[in-house]
């Protein structure tokens, strides 16, 4: 507000008070009454103005009381100063310095890389975790920090939905998990976690299951041998022993299948993170799996529709075991009706499906089917001598091939299990020749 504005600040209010005093003087004939009336009028007017001002201070979001021309000048200046302060606060909260400070305060290690995967920034937690100096590393490629093929392939594929597990240093126990998210013009924000402990526990569990399964094989072979030779050791046919021996042979057979499945599952899990890039001719693979199962189930109709001739990048043994598990399930859980195996292209990628017209599965069980040892119906699985690991194997094969497993099923009508692979896993038909 200008100085002239300040001089005229309250002139109108003073004039009103003086006019009131003069009127009172004329009315009463006493000059003292005029002074009292003027002062009283001024006190009332200033009091009213002050109360409006205090109300505004208490509620700063309200519009200021700008009614009086003179006071408007002062209040306007206060209002402008206040707004400037608020906008300063907002711009501070959005400034890069402010944002850096907030990332800096995080306990998680974070870094930002540009479209060419060069380090733009990292916080102190990342410096501490990776034992690096931000200033020295800025502008350098990320692969300098995480050497090896894993990161190179991950960045090449640009599929950041699944985090990347990596063991960057000479210490084989040190394991990190990197979670990428894109922002801006192809820049990436990466959160890095030390998952060494978690990785160790998972490895111990895998090793334990693998070792126990392996160790069980020898005693089981010995028991199986005795069960087979026992009848010949006994003098003459022994009817009382025939039934228990047959039952023991069945259970030993089941245990063998269970151990084989557990060992296979452990193996698939161990190599899950590894890249599977062999060119697999899925049509030929499906034909050989189907031929094998046709001879094991001679009275069943297994139809093969190989509509795509395109090979798939993957692991032939794993894909074969997934397909075999799906077909065996379709045969086990349907008494009659054909089992249709189909390898075809689709808009989203190649699809390997197995369809049956069997018992079907109620919707509530479908989300849990791939859990180890999950059975829809225990008695049904015991009759069919299932291990409860078949679909867990299928799921792991799907994960390691970036495929998705879809299950469509209706109780009493049948089921269709589909493995949908990403289109990027398909090579040209000529490539496998
Ligand atoms: P299992 O060895 O018991 O067959 P799986 O992991 O292969 O174990 O399957 C899990 C459960 O899913 C089975 O116990 C069965 O109840 C159900 N299931 C799997 N495939 C089918 C199918 N094609 N039709 C009906 N039920 C199925």
């Amino acid at each position: 507000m200008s100085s002239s504005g300040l001089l005229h600040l309250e002139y109108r209010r003073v004039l009103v008070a003086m006019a009131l005093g003069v009127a009172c003087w004329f009315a009463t004939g006493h000059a003292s009454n005029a002074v009292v009336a003027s002062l009283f009028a001024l006190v009332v007017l200033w009091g009213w103005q002050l109360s409006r001002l205090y109300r505004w201070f208490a509620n700063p979001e309200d519009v200021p009381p700008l009614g009086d021309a003179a006071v408007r000048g002062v209040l306007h200046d206060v209002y402008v100063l206040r707004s400037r302060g608020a906008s300063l606060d907002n711009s501070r909260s959005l400034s890069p310095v402010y944002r850096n400070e907030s990332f800096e305060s995080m306990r998680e290690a974070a870094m930002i890389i540009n479209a060419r995967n060069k380090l733009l920034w990292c916080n102190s937690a990342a410096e501490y975790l990776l034992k690096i100096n931000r200033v020295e590393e800025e502008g350098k490629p990320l692969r300098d920090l995480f050497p090896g093929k894993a990161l190179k392939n991950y960045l090449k594929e640009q599929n950041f939905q699944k985090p990347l597990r990596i063991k960057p240093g000479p210490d084989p126990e040190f394991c990190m998990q990197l979670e990428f998210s894109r922002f801006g013009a192809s820049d990436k924000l990466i959160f890095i976690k030390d998952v060494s402990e978690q990785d160790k526990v998972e490895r111990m569990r895998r090793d334990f299951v693998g070792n126990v399964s392996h160790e069980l094989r020898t005693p089981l072979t010995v028991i199986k041998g005795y069960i087979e030779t026992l009848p010949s050791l006994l003098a003459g046919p022994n009817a009382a022993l025939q039934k228990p021996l047959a039952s023991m042979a069945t259970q030993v057979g089941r245990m063998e299948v269970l151990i084989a499945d557990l060992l296979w599952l452990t193996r698939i899990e161990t190599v899950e993170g590894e890249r599977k890039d062999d060119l697999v001719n899925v049509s030929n693979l499906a034909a050989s799996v189907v031929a094998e199962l046709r001879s094991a189930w001679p009275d069943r109709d297994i139809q093969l529709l190989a509509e795509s001739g395109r090979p798939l990048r993957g692991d032939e043994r794993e894909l074969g075991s997934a397909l075999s598990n799906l077909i065996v399930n379709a045969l086990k859980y349907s008494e009659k009706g054909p089992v249709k195996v189909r390898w075809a292209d689709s808009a989203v990628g190649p699809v390997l499906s197995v369809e049956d017209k069997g018992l079907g599965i109620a919707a509530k069980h479908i989300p849990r089917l791939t859990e180890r040892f999950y059975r829809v119906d225990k008695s049904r699985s015991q009759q069919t001598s299932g291990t409860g690991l078949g679909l867990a194997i299928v799921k792991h094969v799907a994960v390691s091939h970036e495929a998705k497993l879809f299950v469509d099923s209706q109780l009493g009508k049948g089921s269709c299990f589909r493995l949908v692979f990403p289109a990027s896993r398909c090579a040209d038909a000529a490539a496998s020749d």
Side-chain angles (χ1 to χ4, degrees):
M1 194 176 72
S2 66
S3 53
S4 64
L6 259 174
L7 285 173
H8 295 110
L9 182 64
E10 289 293 317
Y11 76 96
R12 277 205 291 169
R13 237 181 278 266
V14 175
L15 277 180
V16 170
M18 280 171 68
L20 203 76
V22 170
C24 195
W25 187 4
F26 278 119
T28 60
H30 293 286
S32 56
N33 284 347
V35 176
V36 171
S38 301
L39 286 176
F40 180 73
L42 272 177
V43 167
V44 169
L45 286 169
W46 282 338
W48 175 70
Q49 184 61 34
L50 266 177
S51 72
R52 288 181 68 199
L53 212 60
Y54 278 119
R55 266 210 303 276
W56 179 53
F57 285 155
N59 298 299
E61 305 305 320
D62 283 359
V63 183
L66 295 172
D68 188 282
V71 179
R72 185 185 298 158
V74 178
L75 293 184
H76 179 261
D77 287 357
V78 173
Y79 187 64
V80 167
L81 278 173
R82 217 177 198 180
S83 314
R84 211 179 281 162
S87 65
L88 217 72
D89 270 359
N90 283 342
S91 63
R92 195 180 120 69
S93 70
L94 292 170
S95 74
V97 178
Y98 184 84
R99 260 175 276 161
N100 280 358
E101 273 175 20
S102 60
F103 272 121
E104 199 62 67
S105 68
M106 282 190 331
R107 259 181 271 163
E108 279 89 8
M111 49 172 60
I112 294 174
I113 57 168
N114 65 11
R116 293 167 62 210
N117 302 322
K118 292 194 172 166
L119 185 72
L120 295 180
W121 175 88
C122 71
N123 65 1
S124 307
E127 283 184 295
Y128 179 75
L129 180 68
L130 302 170
K131 297 182 182 63
I132 55 166
N133 182 308
R134 175 170 46 210
V135 182
E136 281 172 16
E137 299 298 328
E138 260 170 13
K140 289 190 185 169
L142 190 67
R143 63 168 187 272
D144 286 4
L145 292 176
F146 304 100
K149 275 186 176 173
L151 178 77
K152 201 174 147 209
N153 293 331
Y154 188 79
L155 290 171
K156 205 166 118 194
E157 277 169 22
Q158 300 272 314
N159 179 6
F160 301 136
Q161 277 178 340
K162 216 176 110 188
L164 172 71
R165 283 251 176 125
I166 215 166
K167 290 188 176 171
D171 179 0
E173 304 258 299
F174 184 43
C175 183
M176 275 185 287
Q177 182 163 292
L178 277 64
E179 283 174 37
F180 288 68
S181 38
R182 282 197 191 87
F183 72 99
S186 298
D187 290 346
K188 286 152 219 117
L189 172 66
I190 313 168
F191 285 110
I192 309 159
K193 264 191 258 172
D194 180 354
V195 289
S196 307
E197 210 38 52
Q198 203 179 327
D199 186 70
K200 195 173 155 191
V201 172
E202 281 171 26
R203 198 157 17 94
M204 276 167 64
R205 179 189 59 78
R206 267 200 316 264
D207 290 352
F208 177 77
V209 174
N211 291 339
V212 169
S213 311
H214 193 77
E215 291 303 318
L216 278 174
R217 272 177 18 169
T218 317
L220 211 61
T221 314
V222 175
I223 294 169
K224 195 179 167 193
Y226 277 119
I227 291 169
E228 281 165 1
T229 52
L230 209 57
S232 60
L233 296 176
L234 296 167
N238 194 327
L241 273 179
Q242 257 175 13
K243 208 173 161 204
L245 279 176
S247 168
M248 280 163 78
T250 313
Q251 294 310 320
V252 166
R254 281 190 68 182
M255 277 181 80
E256 274 185 325
V257 178
L258 181 64
I259 287 169
D261 274 3
L262 274 172
L263 284 171
W264 180 232
L265 195 55
T266 309
R267 191 215 160 251
I268 296 175
E269 268 189 309
T270 315
V271 295
E272 197 171 277
E274 289 176 18
R275 213 174 146 77
K276 278 128 200 171
D277 256 350
D278 299 340
L279 282 178
V280 182
N281 188 324
V282 182
S283 303
N284 288 351
L285 175 69
S288 73
V289 173
V290 166
E292 214 174 284
L293 292 171
R294 272 183 190 144
S295 58
W297 301 68
D299 48 351
R300 294 297 302 268
D301 176 18
I302 310 173
Q303 302 172 1
L304 174 63
L305 294 106
E307 292 167 13
S308 168
R310 296 171 75 195
L312 190 79
R313 290 184 204 282
D315 181 296
E316 183 154 350
R317 245 183 101 195
E318 287 191 15
L319 290 167
S321 87
L323 181 60
S324 160
N325 272 305
L326 289 177
I327 304 176
V328 169
N329 275 354
L331 292 165
K332 279 193 308 190
Y333 301 111
S334 65
E335 278 171 14
K336 48 186 182 335
V339 168
K340 284 185 192 156
V341 181
R342 192 162 163 249
W343 170 239
D345 280 324
S346 82
V348 281
V351 183
L352 186 60
S353 65
V354 177
E355 196 183 339
D356 65 70
K357 299 267 174 263
L359 302 164
I361 308 157
K364 66 173 181 184
H365 295 293
I366 291 179
R368 299 194 59 193
L369 283 184
T370 55
E371 287 174 22
R372 284 164 196 225
F373 303 111
Y374 184 81
R375 270 101 173 212
V376 172
D377 179 349
K378 275 226 154 70
S379 59
R380 192 204 283 184
S381 277
Q382 256 157 19
Q383 277 167 24
T384 56
S385 67
T387 60
L389 293 172
L391 290 180
I393 291 174
V394 175
K395 192 198 92 183
H396 277 283
V397 174
V399 170
S400 61
H401 287 79
E402 300 143 297
K404 289 219 157 57
L405 174 68
F406 295 95
V407 184
D408 300 315
S409 189
Q410 259 186 304
L411 259 185
K413 295 207 168 157
S415 314
C416 182
F417 287 76
R418 280 180 298 137
L419 278 170
V420 181
F421 297 88
S424 56
R425 280 214 162 254
C426 243
D428 287 333
S432 68
D433 300 335

